[in-house]
Amino acid sequence: MSKAGRKPGLVLEHVIKPDPHLSSCMYCPDFTISCNSTGNPQSARHADHAVLSCANCPDDVRRRIADAHNTKAINTAKELGKLDHLYPDKDQSESTFASTAAASSSASTTTATTTVAHRPKKQKTQASITNHVSASSTSKIGPALLKELNMLLITLIVGCGLSFNVVASVFFVNFIKMLNPAYAKVMPTRTCLPRTWLPNLYLEVKKKVYSFRRNNSAAFPYLTVGLDAVKTQSGDKINVTESCGPFVQFNRCIDPGTNSQNHHYYAEKIVTVINEGAADAGSTPFDVYAAVVMDNTSTNYAAFKLVEQVFPWLICLGCRTHFFDLVCEDVFNIDEFKAILKAVLAATKFIKGHKRVLKLFEQIKGKGPGVVTYPDTRFAYAALTLYR
Protein backbone atom coordinates (compact mmCIF):
# COMPACT_ATOMS: atom_id res chain seq x y z
CA MET A 1 0.00 0.00 0.00
CA SER A 2 1.34 3.45 -0.89
CA LYS A 3 2.00 6.05 1.75
CA ALA A 4 -0.82 8.40 2.78
CA GLY A 5 -1.20 11.33 0.39
CA ARG A 6 1.22 9.85 -2.13
CA LYS A 7 -0.07 8.84 -5.57
CA PRO A 8 1.34 5.83 -7.39
CA GLY A 9 3.88 6.62 -10.11
CA LEU A 10 2.47 7.43 -13.53
CA VAL A 11 4.76 4.85 -15.12
CA LEU A 12 2.93 2.03 -13.33
CA GLU A 13 0.03 2.54 -15.72
CA HIS A 14 2.33 1.21 -18.43
CA VAL A 15 3.75 -1.77 -16.51
CA ILE A 16 2.48 -5.36 -16.48
CA LYS A 17 3.21 -8.12 -13.97
CA PRO A 18 3.69 -11.53 -15.64
CA ASP A 19 4.68 -12.97 -12.28
CA PRO A 20 4.05 -11.94 -8.63
CA HIS A 21 7.75 -11.18 -8.28
CA LEU A 22 8.45 -9.69 -11.73
CA SER A 23 7.30 -6.64 -13.68
CA SER A 24 7.67 -5.88 -17.40
CA CYS A 25 7.35 -2.91 -19.72
CA MET A 26 4.01 -2.86 -21.55
CA TYR A 27 5.66 -1.89 -24.83
CA CYS A 28 8.70 -4.24 -24.77
CA PRO A 29 8.18 -7.31 -22.54
CA ASP A 30 11.88 -8.18 -22.94
CA PHE A 31 12.56 -5.60 -20.22
CA THR A 32 11.66 -7.61 -17.11
CA ILE A 33 12.95 -6.81 -13.63
CA SER A 34 12.21 -8.05 -10.14
CA CYS A 35 9.74 -6.28 -7.88
CA ASN A 36 10.73 -4.63 -4.62
CA SER A 37 10.49 -6.23 -1.20
CA THR A 38 6.77 -5.40 -0.95
CA GLY A 39 5.98 -7.03 -4.29
CA ASN A 40 5.38 -3.75 -6.15
CA PRO A 41 7.12 -2.74 -9.42
CA GLN A 42 10.14 -0.43 -9.13
CA SER A 43 8.82 2.87 -10.49
CA ALA A 44 12.16 4.65 -10.94
CA ARG A 45 13.74 1.88 -12.98
CA HIS A 46 10.65 1.48 -15.16
CA ALA A 47 10.56 5.26 -15.68
CA ASP A 48 14.22 5.32 -16.75
CA HIS A 49 13.59 2.49 -19.19
CA ALA A 50 10.41 3.98 -20.69
CA VAL A 51 11.94 7.42 -21.21
CA LEU A 52 15.53 6.58 -22.14
CA SER A 53 15.63 3.04 -23.55
CA CYS A 54 12.24 1.79 -24.74
CA ALA A 55 12.02 1.99 -28.52
CA ASN A 56 8.27 1.22 -28.67
CA CYS A 57 6.98 3.66 -26.06
CA PRO A 58 4.97 6.52 -27.68
CA ASP A 59 6.53 9.98 -27.40
CA ASP A 60 3.53 11.48 -25.60
CA VAL A 61 3.75 8.73 -22.96
CA ARG A 62 7.50 9.23 -22.61
CA ARG A 63 7.00 12.99 -22.18
CA ARG A 64 4.37 12.55 -19.46
CA ILE A 65 6.52 10.00 -17.62
CA ALA A 66 9.58 12.29 -17.89
CA ASP A 67 7.55 15.13 -16.34
CA ALA A 68 6.16 12.94 -13.56
CA HIS A 69 9.37 11.13 -12.54
CA ASN A 70 12.43 13.22 -11.69
CA THR A 71 14.97 10.43 -11.53
CA LYS A 72 18.69 11.11 -11.77
CA ALA A 73 18.99 9.52 -15.21
CA ILE A 74 16.01 11.45 -16.61
CA ASN A 75 17.25 14.78 -15.21
CA THR A 76 20.71 14.16 -16.66
CA ALA A 77 19.19 13.36 -20.05
CA LYS A 78 17.22 16.62 -19.92
CA GLU A 79 20.37 18.58 -19.14
CA LEU A 80 22.22 17.00 -22.06
CA GLY A 81 19.37 17.76 -24.43
CA LYS A 82 18.56 14.12 -25.16
CA LEU A 83 14.84 14.66 -24.57
CA ASP A 84 14.42 17.88 -26.57
CA HIS A 85 12.58 16.01 -29.31
CA LEU A 86 9.83 15.20 -26.80
CA TYR A 87 9.11 18.93 -26.35
CA PRO A 88 8.59 20.42 -29.85
CA ASP A 89 7.00 23.55 -28.39
CA LYS A 90 10.02 24.26 -26.17
CA ASP A 91 11.58 26.90 -28.48
CA GLN A 92 8.24 28.68 -28.87
CA SER A 93 7.65 28.80 -25.13
CA GLU A 94 11.17 30.16 -24.57
CA SER A 95 10.66 32.96 -27.13
CA THR A 96 7.32 33.83 -25.50
CA PHE A 97 9.07 33.90 -22.14
CA ALA A 98 11.75 36.29 -23.51
CA SER A 99 9.14 38.64 -25.04
CA THR A 100 7.19 38.78 -21.79
CA ALA A 101 10.35 39.55 -19.84
CA ALA A 102 11.31 42.36 -22.27
CA ALA A 103 7.84 43.93 -22.12
CA SER A 104 7.87 43.74 -18.36
CA SER A 105 11.30 45.42 -18.28
CA SER A 106 10.18 48.36 -20.49
CA ALA A 107 7.03 48.85 -18.48
CA SER A 108 9.02 49.10 -15.26
CA THR A 109 10.16 52.66 -16.22
CA THR A 110 6.60 53.99 -15.89
CA THR A 111 5.33 51.94 -13.01
CA ALA A 112 6.28 51.86 -9.39
CA THR A 113 6.61 48.10 -9.26
CA THR A 114 8.59 45.87 -11.58
CA THR A 115 7.48 42.36 -12.41
CA VAL A 116 10.42 39.99 -12.75
CA ALA A 117 9.87 36.63 -14.43
CA HIS A 118 11.72 33.70 -12.82
CA ARG A 119 12.68 30.45 -14.48
CA PRO A 120 12.16 27.28 -12.44
CA LYS A 121 15.21 26.60 -10.30
CA LYS A 122 17.51 24.06 -11.88
CA GLN A 123 17.56 20.85 -9.86
CA LYS A 124 20.96 19.61 -8.79
CA THR A 125 21.79 16.06 -9.76
CA GLN A 126 24.59 13.75 -8.74
CA ALA A 127 27.45 13.42 -11.21
CA SER A 128 27.20 10.31 -13.37
CA ILE A 129 29.03 8.70 -16.24
CA THR A 130 27.39 11.06 -18.76
CA ASN A 131 29.20 14.04 -17.18
CA HIS A 132 32.43 12.72 -18.66
CA VAL A 133 31.08 12.32 -22.20
CA SER A 134 30.48 15.00 -24.78
CA ALA A 135 26.85 15.48 -25.78
CA SER A 136 27.74 16.76 -29.24
CA SER A 137 27.45 13.33 -30.82
CA THR A 138 24.04 12.74 -32.34
CA SER A 139 24.55 9.03 -33.12
CA LYS A 140 22.14 6.65 -31.44
CA ILE A 141 22.20 2.99 -30.46
CA GLY A 142 19.15 0.84 -31.11
CA PRO A 143 17.54 -1.13 -28.27
CA ALA A 144 18.69 -4.50 -29.62
CA LEU A 145 22.32 -3.40 -29.91
CA LEU A 146 22.14 -1.66 -26.53
CA LYS A 147 20.93 -4.85 -24.85
CA GLU A 148 23.69 -6.87 -26.53
CA LEU A 149 26.36 -4.39 -25.44
CA ASN A 150 25.06 -4.33 -21.87
CA MET A 151 25.09 -8.13 -21.70
CA LEU A 152 28.66 -8.20 -23.01
CA LEU A 153 29.64 -5.62 -20.40
CA ILE A 154 28.13 -7.50 -17.45
CA THR A 155 29.64 -10.75 -18.76
CA LEU A 156 33.06 -9.09 -18.88
CA ILE A 157 32.74 -7.77 -15.33
CA VAL A 158 31.52 -11.07 -13.87
CA GLY A 159 33.83 -13.26 -15.91
CA CYS A 160 36.94 -11.25 -14.93
CA GLY A 161 35.83 -10.69 -11.33
CA LEU A 162 35.85 -6.89 -11.67
CA SER A 163 34.11 -4.37 -9.45
CA PHE A 164 30.92 -2.73 -10.70
CA ASN A 165 32.61 0.60 -9.90
CA VAL A 166 34.77 0.15 -12.98
CA VAL A 167 32.07 1.78 -15.13
CA ALA A 168 32.42 4.95 -13.04
CA SER A 169 36.16 5.14 -13.60
CA VAL A 170 37.18 8.04 -15.83
CA PHE A 171 39.78 5.79 -17.47
CA PHE A 172 37.20 3.16 -18.39
CA VAL A 173 34.79 5.86 -19.58
CA ASN A 174 37.45 7.37 -21.83
CA PHE A 175 38.20 3.92 -23.22
CA ILE A 176 34.52 3.29 -24.05
CA LYS A 177 34.19 6.83 -25.41
CA MET A 178 37.01 6.16 -27.86
CA LEU A 179 35.36 2.89 -28.97
CA ASN A 180 31.80 4.22 -29.22
CA PRO A 181 30.83 7.68 -27.88
CA ALA A 182 27.14 6.91 -28.30
CA TYR A 183 27.34 3.89 -25.96
CA ALA A 184 29.38 5.83 -23.41
CA LYS A 185 26.36 8.12 -22.90
CA VAL A 186 23.89 5.27 -22.26
CA MET A 187 26.15 2.73 -20.55
CA PRO A 188 24.61 1.26 -17.34
CA THR A 189 25.68 2.82 -14.06
CA ARG A 190 27.41 0.96 -11.23
CA THR A 191 24.03 0.58 -9.46
CA CYS A 192 22.11 -0.47 -12.58
CA LEU A 193 24.52 -3.32 -13.38
CA PRO A 194 23.86 -5.47 -10.25
CA ARG A 195 20.18 -4.57 -10.09
CA THR A 196 19.16 -5.15 -13.71
CA TRP A 197 21.86 -6.75 -15.82
CA LEU A 198 23.30 -9.22 -13.31
CA PRO A 199 19.86 -10.92 -12.89
CA ASN A 200 19.52 -10.91 -16.69
CA LEU A 201 22.90 -12.63 -17.02
CA TYR A 202 21.87 -15.21 -14.44
CA LEU A 203 18.65 -15.95 -16.33
CA GLU A 204 20.52 -16.25 -19.63
CA VAL A 205 23.07 -18.69 -18.20
CA LYS A 206 20.35 -20.68 -16.46
CA LYS A 207 18.36 -20.87 -19.70
CA LYS A 208 21.40 -22.12 -21.64
CA VAL A 209 22.23 -24.76 -19.01
CA TYR A 210 18.66 -26.07 -18.95
CA SER A 211 18.55 -26.05 -22.74
CA PHE A 212 21.78 -28.03 -22.91
CA ARG A 213 20.56 -30.59 -20.42
CA ARG A 214 17.17 -30.89 -22.16
CA ASN A 215 18.66 -31.31 -25.64
CA ASN A 216 21.54 -33.57 -24.64
CA SER A 217 20.22 -35.54 -21.66
CA ALA A 218 19.82 -38.71 -23.74
CA ALA A 219 23.22 -38.61 -25.44
CA PHE A 220 25.25 -36.85 -22.72
CA PRO A 221 23.58 -37.46 -19.33
CA TYR A 222 26.58 -36.47 -17.17
CA LEU A 223 27.55 -32.90 -16.47
CA THR A 224 29.96 -33.21 -13.52
CA VAL A 225 32.59 -35.67 -12.35
CA GLY A 226 33.28 -36.28 -8.67
CA LEU A 227 36.37 -37.65 -6.92
CA ASP A 228 36.66 -38.83 -3.31
CA ALA A 229 39.02 -40.95 -1.20
CA VAL A 230 37.69 -43.73 1.04
CA LYS A 231 39.19 -46.41 3.27
CA THR A 232 38.46 -50.11 2.88
CA GLN A 233 37.86 -52.48 5.79
CA SER A 234 41.51 -53.48 5.65
CA GLY A 235 42.54 -49.84 6.04
CA ASP A 236 43.74 -49.36 2.47
CA LYS A 237 42.90 -46.01 0.87
CA ILE A 238 41.30 -46.02 -2.59
CA ASN A 239 39.84 -43.33 -4.86
CA VAL A 240 36.26 -43.41 -6.09
CA THR A 241 34.95 -41.43 -9.07
CA GLU A 242 31.35 -40.90 -10.08
CA SER A 243 29.51 -39.01 -12.78
CA CYS A 244 26.62 -36.73 -11.86
CA GLY A 245 23.88 -35.32 -14.09
CA PRO A 246 20.16 -36.10 -14.03
CA PHE A 247 21.24 -38.95 -11.73
CA VAL A 248 24.42 -40.12 -9.97
CA GLN A 249 26.26 -43.11 -11.36
CA PHE A 250 29.25 -44.91 -9.85
CA ASN A 251 32.19 -44.73 -12.23
CA ARG A 252 35.19 -46.67 -10.95
CA CYS A 253 37.49 -47.47 -8.04
CA ILE A 254 41.14 -46.53 -8.43
CA ASP A 255 43.86 -48.20 -6.39
CA PRO A 256 46.67 -45.66 -5.95
CA GLY A 257 49.16 -48.39 -5.06
CA THR A 258 52.45 -46.84 -4.03
CA ASN A 259 51.74 -43.52 -5.74
CA SER A 260 51.76 -40.42 -3.56
CA GLN A 261 48.19 -39.06 -3.45
CA ASN A 262 49.08 -35.41 -4.00
CA HIS A 263 47.44 -32.80 -6.24
CA HIS A 264 49.37 -34.00 -9.32
CA TYR A 265 48.03 -37.54 -8.83
CA TYR A 266 44.41 -36.36 -8.40
CA ALA A 267 44.63 -34.03 -11.40
CA GLU A 268 45.94 -36.82 -13.61
CA LYS A 269 43.08 -39.15 -12.58
CA ILE A 270 40.41 -36.49 -13.16
CA VAL A 271 41.74 -35.67 -16.64
CA THR A 272 41.77 -39.38 -17.51
CA VAL A 273 38.19 -39.91 -16.33
CA ILE A 274 36.94 -36.86 -18.27
CA ASN A 275 38.65 -37.89 -21.51
CA GLU A 276 37.42 -41.48 -21.28
CA GLY A 277 33.88 -40.37 -20.37
CA ALA A 278 33.70 -38.03 -23.36
CA ALA A 279 35.03 -40.78 -25.64
CA ASP A 280 32.34 -43.18 -24.36
CA ALA A 281 29.70 -40.54 -25.17
CA GLY A 282 31.14 -40.06 -28.64
CA SER A 283 31.76 -36.38 -28.06
CA THR A 284 34.32 -33.92 -26.70
CA PRO A 285 34.91 -33.10 -23.01
CA PHE A 286 33.57 -29.58 -23.64
CA ASP A 287 30.17 -30.96 -24.70
CA VAL A 288 29.89 -33.41 -21.81
CA TYR A 289 31.40 -32.03 -18.60
CA ALA A 290 30.82 -28.69 -16.89
CA ALA A 291 32.24 -29.07 -13.36
CA VAL A 292 34.38 -31.10 -10.98
CA VAL A 293 33.15 -31.92 -7.46
CA MET A 294 35.71 -32.50 -4.69
CA ASP A 295 36.16 -32.02 -0.95
CA ASN A 296 37.10 -28.57 0.37
CA THR A 297 40.81 -29.22 0.90
CA SER A 298 43.88 -27.37 -0.31
CA THR A 299 45.15 -30.47 -2.13
CA ASN A 300 41.96 -30.78 -4.15
CA TYR A 301 41.90 -27.11 -5.07
CA ALA A 302 45.53 -27.34 -6.19
CA ALA A 303 44.56 -30.36 -8.30
CA PHE A 304 41.72 -28.43 -9.89
CA LYS A 305 44.12 -25.64 -10.88
CA LEU A 306 46.05 -28.21 -12.89
CA VAL A 307 42.83 -29.63 -14.40
CA GLU A 308 41.75 -26.11 -15.33
CA GLN A 309 44.86 -25.73 -17.47
CA VAL A 310 43.66 -28.66 -19.58
CA PHE A 311 39.91 -27.88 -19.48
CA PRO A 312 39.63 -24.11 -18.83
CA TRP A 313 35.80 -24.04 -18.99
CA LEU A 314 35.33 -26.34 -15.97
CA ILE A 315 34.29 -24.96 -12.59
CA CYS A 316 35.11 -26.48 -9.22
CA LEU A 317 32.26 -27.24 -6.82
CA GLY A 318 33.17 -27.90 -3.22
CA CYS A 319 31.28 -30.49 -1.21
CA ARG A 320 28.22 -28.76 0.23
CA THR A 321 27.77 -31.41 2.91
CA HIS A 322 31.26 -30.81 4.25
CA PHE A 323 30.75 -27.07 3.99
CA PHE A 324 27.74 -27.10 6.31
CA ASP A 325 29.54 -29.54 8.58
CA LEU A 326 32.32 -26.97 8.99
CA VAL A 327 29.74 -24.23 9.61
CA CYS A 328 28.21 -26.27 12.45
CA GLU A 329 31.66 -26.87 13.91
CA ASP A 330 32.44 -23.14 13.83
CA VAL A 331 29.17 -22.35 15.63
CA PHE A 332 30.00 -24.78 18.44
CA ASN A 333 33.40 -23.16 18.90
CA ILE A 334 31.53 -20.28 20.54
CA ASP A 335 32.02 -20.60 24.30
CA GLU A 336 28.32 -20.74 25.24
CA PHE A 337 27.50 -23.53 22.75
CA LYS A 338 30.79 -25.30 23.34
CA ALA A 339 30.07 -25.66 27.09
CA ILE A 340 26.62 -27.14 26.41
CA LEU A 341 27.93 -29.66 23.88
CA LYS A 342 30.78 -30.66 26.20
CA ALA A 343 28.36 -31.40 29.05
CA VAL A 344 25.97 -33.37 26.82
CA LEU A 345 28.84 -35.35 25.28
CA ALA A 346 30.20 -36.23 28.76
CA ALA A 347 26.76 -37.46 29.86
CA THR A 348 26.35 -39.48 26.65
CA LYS A 349 29.71 -41.21 27.06
CA PHE A 350 28.94 -41.99 30.72
CA ILE A 351 25.60 -43.58 29.82
CA LYS A 352 27.06 -45.64 26.97
CA GLY A 353 30.06 -46.71 29.05
CA HIS A 354 28.00 -48.25 31.91
CA LYS A 355 25.68 -51.12 31.02
CA ARG A 356 23.36 -50.77 34.03
CA VAL A 357 23.01 -47.02 33.55
CA LEU A 358 22.34 -47.55 29.83
CA LYS A 359 19.68 -50.15 30.58
CA LEU A 360 17.92 -47.86 33.09
CA PHE A 361 18.14 -44.99 30.60
CA GLU A 362 16.49 -47.10 27.87
CA GLN A 363 13.71 -48.13 30.27
CA ILE A 364 12.99 -44.51 31.13
CA LYS A 365 13.24 -43.33 27.51
CA GLY A 366 11.07 -46.08 26.06
CA LYS A 367 11.09 -47.02 22.38
CA GLY A 368 13.14 -45.10 19.89
CA PRO A 369 16.79 -44.58 18.95
CA GLY A 370 19.34 -44.48 21.70
CA VAL A 371 22.07 -42.02 22.56
CA VAL A 372 24.88 -41.51 20.05
CA THR A 373 28.18 -39.73 19.76
CA TYR A 374 29.61 -38.27 16.56
CA PRO A 375 32.83 -38.86 14.61
CA ASP A 376 35.34 -36.06 14.28
CA THR A 377 34.92 -35.86 10.49
CA ARG A 378 31.13 -35.59 10.67
CA PHE A 379 30.53 -32.88 13.25
CA ALA A 380 26.95 -32.30 12.08
CA TYR A 381 25.99 -35.55 13.84
CA ALA A 382 26.40 -33.60 17.08
CA ALA A 383 22.80 -32.51 16.50
CA LEU A 384 21.70 -36.11 17.15
CA THR A 385 23.83 -36.21 20.27
CA LEU A 386 22.10 -33.11 21.61
CA TYR A 387 18.63 -34.23 20.53
CA ARG A 388 18.73 -37.72 22.02
Side-chain angles (χ1 to χ4, degrees):
M1 181 179 293
S2 59
K3 296 181 179 180
R6 182 177 179 181
K7 296 181 179 180
L10 175 66
V11 71
L12 298 185
E13 300 176 3
H14 307 277
V15 173
I16 58 177
K17 293 188 65 177
D19 183 88
H21 304 290
L22 299 175
S23 57
S24 303
C25 174
M26 181 184 296
Y27 305 102
C28 52
D30 288 341
F31 180 78
T32 301
I33 59 176
S34 58
C35 297
N36 57 26
S37 58
T38 60
N40 295 321
Q42 302 184 50
S43 302
R45 295 177 63 189
H46 277 291
D48 290 344
H49 165 74
V51 175
L52 304 176
S53 304
C54 185
N56 303 322
C57 183
D59 285 348
D60 60 328
V61 175
R62 296 176 63 190
R63 182 172 62 251
R64 289 191 289 112
I65 294 176
D67 293 338
H69 295 269
N70 292 322
T71 66
K72 182 178 71 173
I74 292 177
N75 288 334
T76 302
K78 289 179 180 178
E79 293 178 10
L80 296 176
K82 296 181 180 180
L83 305 182
D84 289 349
H85 64 285
L86 299 179
Y87 302 91
D89 56 342
K90 180 179 179 181
D91 296 337
Q92 181 179 357
S93 62
E94 288 184 351
S95 60
T96 303
F97 174 83
S99 301
T100 304
S104 176
S105 177
S106 61
S108 64
T109 58
T110 57
T111 58
T113 60
T114 302
T115 303
V116 180
H118 295 280
R119 284 180 178 270
K121 186 176 181 180
K122 186 177 180 180
Q123 184 175 356
K124 295 182 179 180
T125 58
Q126 183 179 357
S128 64
I129 186 174
T130 54
N131 296 114
H132 305 288
V133 184
S134 174
S136 59
S137 176
T138 58
S139 59
K140 296 182 179 180
I141 296 180
L145 178 58
L146 179 61
K147 180 179 179 181
E148 183 178 359
L149 290 174
N150 290 343
M151 289 300 295
L152 290 174
L153 176 62
I154 188 64
T155 303
L156 167 69
I157 292 176
V158 173
C160 296
L162 303 178
S163 169
F164 294 120
N165 291 328
V166 69
V167 297
S169 168
V170 65
F171 306 105
F172 186 78
V173 172
N174 289 336
F175 173 69
I176 297 298
K177 180 181 177 182
M178 182 62 67
L179 294 177
N180 191 331
Y183 180 64
K185 292 187 289 186
V186 294
M187 186 167 57
T189 63
R190 60 181 180 271
T191 55
C192 179
L193 283 170
R195 291 180 179 177
T196 300
W197 295 105
L198 186 60
N200 288 345
L201 177 62
Y202 169 76
L203 294 176
E204 285 292 328
V205 173
K206 184 178 180 180
K207 186 187 302 182
K208 290 180 180 179
V209 171
Y210 283 175
S211 176
F212 174 82
R213 295 187 63 178
R214 182 172 59 253
N215 297 332
N216 301 284
S217 60
F220 314 129
Y222 309 123
L223 290 178
T224 66
V225 58
L227 175 68
D228 198 4
V230 297
K231 284 186 177 181
T232 62
Q233 293 181 350
S234 60
D236 297 329
K237 195 173 183 180
I238 63 173
N239 304 122
V240 178
T241 63
E242 59 187 17
S243 299
C244 307
F247 52 89
V248 178
Q249 176 173 318
F250 169 78
N251 189 287
R252 70 186 69 181
C253 284
I254 303 174
D255 184 3
T258 58
N259 294 321
S260 176
Q261 298 186 51
N262 53 25
H263 60 288
H264 291 283
Y265 169 81
Y266 288 138
E268 179 185 353
K269 296 305 178 184
I270 293 173
V271 171
T272 301
V273 170
I274 291 177
N275 284 328
E276 293 180 356
D280 293 340
S283 184
T284 62
F286 178 81
D287 293 323
V288 179
Y289 292 100
V292 176
V293 182
M294 297 183 291
D295 285 341
N296 309 301
T297 62
S298 58
T299 302
N300 288 341
Y301 279 116
F304 177 73
K305 292 297 182 181
L306 298 178
V307 174
E308 195 176 25
Q309 295 177 10
V310 183
F311 308 120
W313 68 88
L314 291 178
I315 59 176
C316 183
L317 302 176
C319 179
R320 290 175 292 180
T321 302
H322 288 174
F323 169 77
F324 286 108
D325 185 83
L326 294 174
V327 171
C328 293
E329 189 170 358
D330 288 341
V331 170
F332 276 91
N333 280 331
I334 302 174
D335 292 339
E336 292 79 2
F337 298 109
K338 188 175 183 179
I340 296 175
L341 179 61
K342 184 177 180 180
V344 172
L345 187 60
T348 301
K349 291 181 177 180
F350 177 80
I351 294 174
K352 294 187 67 175
H354 297 78
K355 293 183 178 180
R356 292 186 179 181
V357 177
L358 179 60
K359 186 175 182 179
L360 290 173
F361 179 82
E362 291 176 348
Q363 291 177 356
I364 297 173
K365 179 181 65 64
K367 295 182 179 181
V371 292
V372 294
T373 56
Y374 58 89
D376 294 335
T377 58
R378 297 292 183 269
F379 187 84
Y381 282 106
L384 295 178
T385 303
L386 293 169
Y387 177 74
R388 297 180 182 178

